[in-house]
């Protein structure tokens, strides 16, 4: 790269898979990335850009001349092209689109007009559609002669003259039938239609549930406009699971390890800020028992144990509930069964742990009464933890708030506050400290 | 179902997708499930069993007569059959296998002999393999005539006489070539081989990285033994992401909402038990400052704020790191960059939050000194949180321990202890309380 030796660079990258070429781009210093791409010129496969973190991709696209990007994007399947263009701001998009011939530009624009994270954004606009009265032989001949078909595909669509979908035929069924067989005999009518405006998360759930490999995308008039294939959906599934995990930990779903310090700090701040208020709420519970603590400092030493263990039990119940909601397992009758189960689990584990914690605390401060008090407080807090662990995500889901994002704040605030309240309140009453 | 009306039941379930039939089985009371299956008899599609939670599936399989299960399993693709049989204990497996004809039994047994969660368990043993000297026409004729081929497939394999894989051909390429074209001209040699003993998580990562739709599975001698398709891998990807999320929350990866109370309580207990010890460690830090607290009860009220906010910041850094490790983004040079980034983020957010927390605390207790002390303690704890949030998962990963499972314990123990130590220690020194 340093010597600008174009032939060697081309030779070295020629046989690389796009994913590996992408990895090389990410490992390079930011200044060197566009250098490599321009060195490779037309030999650079723009598909590699789809494998990059968003921040790296945007950096590269902004530095490359619009004409070069336009040419590279034209070589791609429409879904990859849209994926690359969608992160750019409107002015840059327009500049690149202006360099693309009209027909292709229209198709890209239509896809970009669909909302973010919708099926329309992810779909491929190249597909094979045939009328039902064709035979297998005609279909095979058409596919042999037609130039403008997708790189690879797994199903062909059967449509009426108005481009309404009548059904699908798996390629393997076409191959395994005799040439004179009419396509209409092979059609599988139990197809799954995806409206172009559908959220990608819903689409991914459909693919998973019905083990689909591809699905037809239709516009508001029910006309076939594209196809979604499983390889796009795999990325969506991975993204959505990632979002849930990060959301539970209070991290923005879009955070990537290549983001800048300032961006990261700012995106994590709101969560910590919310946590500050909940922490003050719990602290005010403690504040109500200042005189009890002044009379018996051991209470201050032991109280975080009750709060921390409740927090953990609540997080366990919450994680299971959030996942069950995300995978649509939790509804109606199941919900009540799950709540009952969490209450019982909280009571059981609370009772067993109370024996351990009670004994340890009793011995530590040489006061069995303290052990009894902390034990009872722990059982109470673990039952509450199980309850809020189920109820908070379920309530948020009903209120159309993403339970993964907001649950933790409420659950830990409750387990902290109830932990302090139960322990300090019980101790005040038991030892008559007031 | 109550009236035992077989024809109506068959009529009602006939057009159902296996996933929907599975959902109906799960919604039924346990006693009714086998009743429905036996009522449907041969009309019951055993594929529906693959859609159930493990505990429900095992319950049904144990209650059904072995002969009925054997017959149902024979109808399935080999990967679904293995999926259903693998959860049963050895004696029940043997009983069912005994009722299956020898050749099919051998194939199932071979798959079951591979380790759990390996490629060999997930693969399908039906596939299309042809020699390279065949033409497209011969291949199409073979597929038309051969009976025993998989339900649907996307690639055909090209093999030498010893069944070593030479390459793959996408079905769409076969369809789009003229009959006299030799297969050898269409072969894509850049295929991805999966050893049958490979862990499914590694395989899923390969599928994702290279956007594969199917991949060949080979035995230790490099001979083709099966094929993995993306629909199996989608389940694996979902499972693995699920495991990470649950592990971070201290929940067993296999926990499902249909598990019993006792099983759930027992599987969650170890984590809470570990948390008990770490809670006592943090408590002992507080214990060292008993006299300081006795002299100034406000310290007891405020100290959980420092610990809790540190815990949250640590969890944020940890979640990002754990995911970066899981997706193999974090290695070598990147690791040092990420650590530096987390330190800076911790310092930045710590500084901003310290202003808020310091002011609030100072006003609450009418003592600006207290505000300064808690502010400094908070900055320190957030820097420590960022550091351990990165270092703990990375160290565990180096020690070959799953970072998702064990990180939380260490991270929260550190942020709790450091939070108490920094705040109480600083206060003792500042106010000369000792």
């Amino acid at each position: 790269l340093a010597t600008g030796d174009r032939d060697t660079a081309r030779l070295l990258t020629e046989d690389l898979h796009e994913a590996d070429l992408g990895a090389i781009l990410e490992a390079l210093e930011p200044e060197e990335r566009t250098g490599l791409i321009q060195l490779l010129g037309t030999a650079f496969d723009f598909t590699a850009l789809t494998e990059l973190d968003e921040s790296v991709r945007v950096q590269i696209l902004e530095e490359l001349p619009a004409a070069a990007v336009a040419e590279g994007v034209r070589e791609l399947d429409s879904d990859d092209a849209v994926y690359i263009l969608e992160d750019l701001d409107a002015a840059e998009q327009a500049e690149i689109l202006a360099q693309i011939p009209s027909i292709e530009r229209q198709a890209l624009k239509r896809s970009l007009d669909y909302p973010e994270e919708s099926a329309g954004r992810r779909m491929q606009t190249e597909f094979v559609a045939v009328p039902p009265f064709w035979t297998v032989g005609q279909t095979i001949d058409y596919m042999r002669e037609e130039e403008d078909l997708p790189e690879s595909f797994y199903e062909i669509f059967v449509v009426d003259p108005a481009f309404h979908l009548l059904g699908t035929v798996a390629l393997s069924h076409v191959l395994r039938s005799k040439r004179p067989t009419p396509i209409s005999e092979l059609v599988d009518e139990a197809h799954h239609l995806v409206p172009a405006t559908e959220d990608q998360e819903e689409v991914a759930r459909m693919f998973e549930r019905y083990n689909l490999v591809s699905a037809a995308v239709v516009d508001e008039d029910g006309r076939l406009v594209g196809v979604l294939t499983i390889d796009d959906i795999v990325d969506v599934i991975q993204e959505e699971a990632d979002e849930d995990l990060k959301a539970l930990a209070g991290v923005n779903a879009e955070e990537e390890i290549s983001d800048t310090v300032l961006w990261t700090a700012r995106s994590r701040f709101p969560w910590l800020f919310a946590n500050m208020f909940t922490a003050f709420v719990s602290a005010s519970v403690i504040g109500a028992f200042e005189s009890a603590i002044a009379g018996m400092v051991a209470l201050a030493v032991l109280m975080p144990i009750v709060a921390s263990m409740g927090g953990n039990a609540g997080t366990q119940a919450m994680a299971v509930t959030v996942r069950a909601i995300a995978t649509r397992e939790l509804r109606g009758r199941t919900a009540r069964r799950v709540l009952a189960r969490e209450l019982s689990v909280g009571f059981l584990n609370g009772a067993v742990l109370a024996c351990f914690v009670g004994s340890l605390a009793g011995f530590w401060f040489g006061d069995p009464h303290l052990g009894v008090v902390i034990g009872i407080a722990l059982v109470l807090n673990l039952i509450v933890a199980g309850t809020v662990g189920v109820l908070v995500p379920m309530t948020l889901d009903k209120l159309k708030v993403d339970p993964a994002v907001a649950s933790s704040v409420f659950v830990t605030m409750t387990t902290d506050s109830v932990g302090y309240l139960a322990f300090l309140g019980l101790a005040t009453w038991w030892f008559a400290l007031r």
Side-chain angles (χ1 to χ4, degrees), chain A:
Chain A
L1 188 60
T3 59
D5 181 347
R6 178 176 307 221
D7 293 332
T8 316
R10 284 199 184 167
L11 210 65
L12 284 173
T13 54
E14 195 175 42
D15 286 333
L16 279 183
H17 188 276
E18 64 226 35
D20 299 319
L21 185 54
I24 291 177
L25 281 173
E26 279 198 347
L28 287 176
E29 294 298 325
E31 313 80 71
E32 299 168 343
R33 288 173 187 149
T34 44
L36 175 63
I37 295 174
Q38 291 186 307
L39 189 65
L40 292 172
T42 51
F44 175 71
D45 177 3
F46 268 66
T47 323
L49 293 183
T50 63
E51 307 282 337
L52 302 176
D53 274 0
E54 184 182 326
S55 55
V56 178
R57 182 167 53 243
V58 171
Q59 178 240 329
I60 291 178
L61 289 172
E62 284 176 352
E63 286 178 21
L64 281 180
V69 176
E71 205 181 313
V73 160
R74 282 189 60 192
E75 302 288 315
L76 301 180
D77 278 344
S78 60
D79 54 338
D80 288 337
V82 169
Y83 189 78
I84 286 181
L85 293 176
E86 68 180 357
D87 300 328
L88 294 175
D89 58 43
E92 280 159 5
Q93 264 182 25
E95 199 186 332
I96 294 167
L97 285 172
Q99 315 246 6
I100 294 179
S102 175
I103 301 179
E104 292 169 47
R105 183 171 65 227
Q106 292 307 326
L108 286 179
K109 262 195 170 156
R110 204 174 319 126
S111 286
L112 284 167
D113 279 344
Y114 286 112
E116 246 184 90
E117 311 216 319
S118 71
R121 281 283 182 95
R122 292 272 162 275
M123 72 186 180
Q124 198 169 329
T125 50
E126 301 94 356
F127 52 83
V128 181
V130 300
F133 50 81
W134 277 18
T135 62
V136 165
Q138 276 177 298
T139 308
I140 294 183
D141 292 341
Y142 163 74
M143 288 192 277
R144 286 202 183 129
E145 279 149 32
E146 177 67 35
E147 290 287 312
D148 202 23
L149 292 184
E151 227 326 81
S152 50
F153 51 97
Y154 321 108
E155 277 184 330
I156 59 181
F157 296 113
V158 183
V159 291
D160 69 10
F163 251 69
H164 290 119
L165 189 68
L166 301 173
T168 60
V169 184
L171 273 199
S172 48
H173 292 171
V174 175
L175 268 173
R176 298 191 60 192
S177 308
K178 304 230 176 284
R179 287 183 65 92
T181 318
I183 285 290
S184 52
E185 268 183 31
L186 301 177
V187 166
D188 179 4
E189 285 166 20
H191 52 267
H192 298 267
L193 286 183
V194 180
T197 49
E198 182 94 316
D199 185 78
Q200 58 178 10
E201 196 171 352
E202 289 302 322
V203 180
R205 206 158 287 136
M206 195 181 91
F207 266 77
E208 272 179 80
R209 183 171 172 105
Y210 298 110
N211 298 319
L212 305 180
V213 179
S214 63
V217 183
V218 293
D219 65 12
E220 57 272 37
D221 303 323
R223 272 193 304 263
L224 187 62
V225 289
V227 55
L228 276 167
T229 50
I230 182 85
D231 51 315
D232 306 314
I233 298 301
V234 165
D235 296 337
V236 173
I237 292 175
Q238 187 70 278
E239 265 174 46
E240 298 292 343
D242 223 62
E243 276 180 23
D244 274 2
L245 185 145
K246 286 181 176 164
L248 274 179
V251 176
N252 191 307
E254 277 157 36
E255 181 173 327
E256 286 162 346
I257 57 168
S258 47
D259 289 326
T260 63
V261 169
L262 208 66
W263 194 94
T264 310
R266 231 173 27 208
S267 91
R268 290 194 196 165
F269 184 81
W271 172 265
L272 292 172
F273 195 70
N275 174 231
M276 183 181 81
F277 284 102
T278 62
F280 269 98
V281 170
S282 325
S284 70
V285 173
I286 305 175
F289 293 97
E290 270 192 63
S291 58
I293 293 172
M296 194 177 200
V297 180
L299 298 182
V301 177
L302 292 173
M303 66 185 184
I305 297 176
V306 183
S308 149
M309 295 183 70
N312 270 283
T315 304
Q316 290 179 327
M318 179 183 72
V320 174
T321 310
V322 165
R323 282 311 286 172
I325 291 175
T327 56
R328 299 283 184 275
E329 283 182 88
L330 200 65
R331 30 174 110 232
R333 214 154 50 128
T334 327
R336 232 166 309 148
R337 205 162 57 189
V338 168
L339 180 60
R341 191 185 68 141
E342 289 297 344
L343 280 173
S344 317
V345 170
F347 175 74
L348 262 180
N349 276 341
V352 177
L353 288 165
C355 301
F356 286 101
V357 173
S359 321
L360 283 170
F363 274 111
W364 186 358
F365 291 96
D367 182 349
H369 290 279
L370 208 50
V372 173
V373 168
I374 197 172
I376 298 175
L378 194 66
V379 176
L380 288 176
N381 203 21
L382 257 64
I383 293 176
V384 170
T387 315
V388 296
V390 175
L391 289 184
V392 167
M394 272 174 33
T395 312
L396 290 172
D397 186 49
K398 281 227 174 87
L399 300 174
K400 308 271 173 229
V401 180
D402 183 351
V405 175
S407 291
S408 295
V409 190
F410 294 108
V411 170
T412 52
M413 183 178 77
T414 312
T415 53
D416 276 357
S417 302
V418 170
Y420 296 134
L421 184 66
F423 179 57
L424 296 174
L426 214 59
T428 307
W429 172 77
W430 190 284
F431 298 109
L433 279 172
R434 218 181 274 274

